[in-house]
Amino acid sequence: MTEQLTETAAHTRSLVDKLWSYCDVLRDAGVPAIDYVEQLTYLLFLKMMDEQEKKLARRGKPHRILPPGIDWDTLAGKKGGDLKDYYERVLEDLGRRPGTFKLIFLGAQNKIQATGLLERLIKDLIGKIQWSREGVDVKGDAYEELLSRSASDVKSGAGQYFTPRPLIRAMVDCVQPTPEDTIVDPACGTGGFLLLANEYLRREHPMESLNPDQRDRLIHGRAFHGVELVRGTARLAAMNMLTHGVVPDEHQEIIEVGDALLSEPKVRASLVLANPPFGQKSAITVVGEDGKAVKDEAVYASRDFWVTTKNKQLNFLQHIAKLLKIDGRAAVVLPDNVLFEGGAGETIRRYLLKEYDVHTLLRLPTGIFYAGGVKANVLFFERRRPSDRPWTSKLWVYDLRSGESFTLKQRPLRREHLQDFVDCYLPGKPRDERVDTDCFKAFTYDELIARDKVNLDISWQQDGGDHKSAERSPEEIARSIAADLRTALAQIEAIAAALANDGQDETPR
């Protein structure tokens, strides 16, 4: 088994190396870095659908997946300008189709204007690989590796859509998705959270152990829903799910293109896994239960939030909290300022601690995100029915930050670095069985509420420096300094906001 896994991994890397070599060619041809995988996605999708049609035909069950007049053999048989013209007509035609076709191809543009390069991609690379014969795992792993390599191109900005997979795996291992869950990510990027939740479900709940409805929910993706603002990124997420064996029905929408903060959710979640975009300002106006409106570029008329704020991170936290069904659970990556910011931030934390069971906080080290210098945390909480008493009894804080530092190249975060946290979390077991360690401490509701501004930016360890890390590069040091400066600025802004609101009650009645 080990030899087979090693061989599969080597084969996957070989496929990715071939694909990535053409990304280098695309870059030389002037294709923007963030568009590399998107351009390959169009061709991979066409080839894989063509192979599925031929496989069904061989089994005596002929079925058209691609629309009439569109097939890989016709595409591969053309040359020069005819090839380019036909391919661009295909992209336009598929963009008018419903379901997955529309999601992947709506607005699709051929950015490979060199006909010779387009011909090489179709005939010498994509066309020579039988993707359907590689197995779902190889296809999926290869595509996921492509996304990872694209995200590592920091200058392209693609890394903002890519949460480190070891972190996601640890989060998923803690919350333990079930076949009955409806799993939602309101800022899904390239689909990493949905993808690894799907991976966990298929590993821990084999298809043969599921009833027909559960199997259908997994295979056709009714167990998953993602929202992504950027269409190009949404199509990558859709393709990522597809290559991992999640094939939606014709009119089903696993990945929704839009702003999750702008409209009422189409799906209520029993489990939210998310890493909302970092950044202070929303591009919209929000109106909270308090009736206050903060005008920006558009109107957001939801009255579902506890408090009005233009801070996008705080709005996403409110949105996720309201998105959960009763007894639903969430694991959300949040920057430090969400833990300590005054004003609206304090109000939201008070409401969250009272109305939800906010039970675990993982303080993350620096150097694990492609966006440099990010200081972030993972907050785990569960929704409960309305009650007069606070639902949070203890918040357990795990400090993975003090004395730790990672870098993307010299010391990348791996899943084993998070194993002690997962062990302390005790997935699937009562939380009253948890025990204190040097890194894991519990704080009662009364202790949290008594803290100035309900500040959850809690640390008790002396930072011993980076004695556990590899020597950091000047770039990493500069990013860490920049992160400290941004944190200090956020604290100053929070103080200024508190002074400006002195005497005003921001708490909803």
Side-chain angles (χ1 to χ4, degrees):
M1 177 63 73
T2 302
E3 291 180 358
Q4 183 180 0
L5 290 173
T6 302
E7 182 180 348
T8 300
H11 186 48
T12 300
R13 285 194 298 272
S14 175
L15 288 175
V16 174
D17 288 342
K18 290 178 183 177
L19 291 170
W20 196 249
S21 69
Y22 274 81
C23 288
D24 291 336
V25 177
L26 290 174
R27 180 176 61 238
D28 294 340
V31 177
I34 200 169
D35 296 328
Y36 295 166
V37 182
E38 181 182 82
Q39 293 298 304
L40 290 175
T41 292
Y42 304 147
L43 295 172
L44 283 170
F45 183 91
L46 290 171
K47 182 63 162 58
M48 288 166 54
M49 294 305 100
D50 184 76
E51 290 177 5
Q52 288 297 318
E53 287 184 356
K54 291 174 179 175
K55 181 187 291 185
L56 290 171
R58 288 193 299 270
R59 293 176 178 174
K61 301 177 181 178
H63 175 70
R64 288 288 300 179
I65 300 175
L66 293 170
I70 297 176
D71 63 84
W72 183 265
D73 291 339
T74 300
L75 178 67
K78 294 185 179 295
K79 297 180 179 180
D82 290 341
L83 171 63
K84 180 174 174 290
D85 292 342
Y86 177 77
Y87 177 54
E88 291 175 352
R89 287 198 303 272
V90 166
L91 296 181
E92 184 178 354
D93 187 350
L94 292 176
R96 294 193 293 264
R97 306 283 171 167
T100 302
F101 286 128
K102 183 177 181 180
L103 177 56
I104 292 180
F105 291 100
L106 181 64
Q109 295 181 340
N110 171 32
K111 296 184 181 180
I112 310 171
Q113 294 302 308
T115 55
L117 174 57
L118 181 61
E119 192 168 335
R120 286 168 59 195
L121 279 169
I122 292 172
K123 298 179 180 181
D124 296 340
L125 177 63
I126 306 296
K128 288 187 176 180
I129 299 174
Q130 291 295 310
W131 294 91
S132 297
R133 295 180 184 177
E134 305 296 349
V136 169
D137 290 339
V138 172
K139 286 198 306 253
D141 289 348
Y143 194 79
E144 179 72 356
E145 177 65 17
L146 270 179
L147 292 174
S148 176
R149 292 194 189 185
S150 176
S152 67
D153 189 337
V154 178
K155 293 180 181 179
S156 74
Q160 65 180 304
Y161 305 110
F162 197 87
T163 305
R165 284 359 186 198
L167 174 60
I168 297 179
R169 283 195 171 87
M171 292 166 64
V172 169
D173 288 343
C174 286
V175 297
Q176 296 183 318
T178 74
E180 296 298 327
D181 273 320
T182 298
I183 304 167
V184 178
D185 182 350
C188 70
T190 57
F193 283 100
L194 301 178
L195 171 69
L196 293 182
N198 173 61
E199 175 188 280
Y200 177 94
L201 285 167
R202 294 189 182 222
R203 182 181 69 246
E204 300 296 326
H205 303 275
M207 287 293 176
E208 58 271 18
S209 69
L210 305 180
N211 63 44
D213 181 67
Q214 291 172 332
R215 284 196 296 271
D216 181 73
R217 294 184 80 243
L218 289 186
I219 293 172
H220 296 297
R222 291 191 292 111
F224 310 102
H225 186 75
V227 183
E228 171 52 43
L229 180 64
V230 180
R231 177 167 292 278
T233 307
R235 65 167 52 101
L236 298 182
M239 188 68 178
N240 210 6
M241 298 296 285
L242 187 67
T243 59
H244 284 83
V246 181
V247 184
D249 296 329
E250 184 178 0
H251 296 284
Q252 187 183 344
E253 192 176 51
I254 296 178
I255 308 298
E256 174 189 351
V257 180
D259 189 335
L261 299 178
L262 199 55
S263 59
E264 290 299 312
K266 294 182 179 179
V267 177
R268 292 288 173 177
S270 60
L271 174 59
V272 172
L273 294 161
N275 179 6
F278 292 4
Q280 291 290 319
K281 298 296 180 63
S282 290
I284 54 177
T285 293
V286 293
V287 181
E289 283 180 355
D290 55 2
K292 296 179 182 178
V294 182
K295 188 175 182 180
D296 205 28
E297 297 176 4
V299 175
Y300 175 46
S302 171
R303 302 182 63 85
D304 202 28
F305 288 177
W306 294 310
V307 66
T308 298
T309 174
K310 292 202 304 185
N311 185 309
K312 183 182 295 185
Q313 302 147 11
L314 293 176
N315 282 330
F316 262 109
L317 180 56
Q318 294 185 87
H319 173 73
I320 289 168
K322 299 289 187 174
L323 183 65
L324 288 174
K325 301 176 182 178
I326 299 299
D327 295 326
R329 55 212 193 281
V332 187
V333 179
L334 297 168
D336 276 12
N337 70 283
V338 172
L339 303 182
F340 62 72
E341 188 170 306
E346 178 184 351
T347 301
I348 291 167
R349 290 190 295 276
R350 287 185 183 276
Y351 267 75
L352 198 66
L353 290 170
K354 180 180 183 298
E355 299 187 10
Y356 291 70
D357 183 1
V358 185
H359 55 81
T360 311
L361 176 68
L362 168 62
R363 296 184 59 75
L364 295 170
T366 58
I368 67 173
F369 295 96
Y370 287 104
V374 170
K375 288 190 172 181
N377 315 265
V378 183
L379 190 65
F380 297 81
F381 58 91
E382 298 174 3
R383 187 172 191 175
R384 297 289 185 246
R385 296 185 182 280
S387 171
D388 292 335
R389 65 177 179 82
W391 276 110
T392 299
S393 58
K394 288 182 180 180
L395 172 64
W396 288 83
V397 182
Y398 189 98
D399 187 356
L400 189 62
R401 183 178 301 176
S402 298
E404 282 281 15
S405 182
F406 294 85
T407 65
L408 295 176
K409 294 181 180 179
Q410 294 171 303
R411 191 177 186 243
L413 180 73
R414 297 191 299 272
R415 175 60 181 81
E416 53 262 35
H417 292 130
L418 293 155
Q419 187 56 48
D420 185 64
F421 165 68
V422 176
D423 292 340
C424 289
Y425 187 99
L426 294 181
K429 295 182 180 180
R431 285 194 286 275
D432 58 12
E433 294 182 13
R434 290 176 171 180
V435 296
D436 282 5
T437 71
D438 289 342
C439 296
F440 198 45
K441 301 291 182 185
F443 298 85
T444 67
Y445 174 82
D446 290 338
E447 289 175 318
L448 299 172
I449 290 297
R451 291 174 60 86
D452 183 40
K453 295 184 175 61
V454 196
N455 187 338
L456 302 183
D457 188 21
I458 300 171
S459 181
W460 62 92
Q461 297 193 98
Q462 291 295 320
D463 193 337
D466 297 333
H467 58 275
K468 296 182 182 179
S469 69
E471 183 178 352
R472 294 192 294 170
S473 68
E475 180 183 9
E476 291 289 340
I477 294 172
R479 287 178 181 173
S480 180
I481 293 172
D484 289 336
L485 290 174
R486 282 194 293 270
T487 299
L489 180 59
Q491 290 173 324
I492 293 171
E493 290 176 344
I495 293 171
L499 292 173
N501 292 323
D502 189 28
Q504 298 182 21
D505 182 11
E506 290 200 46
T507 303
R509 299 291 184 183

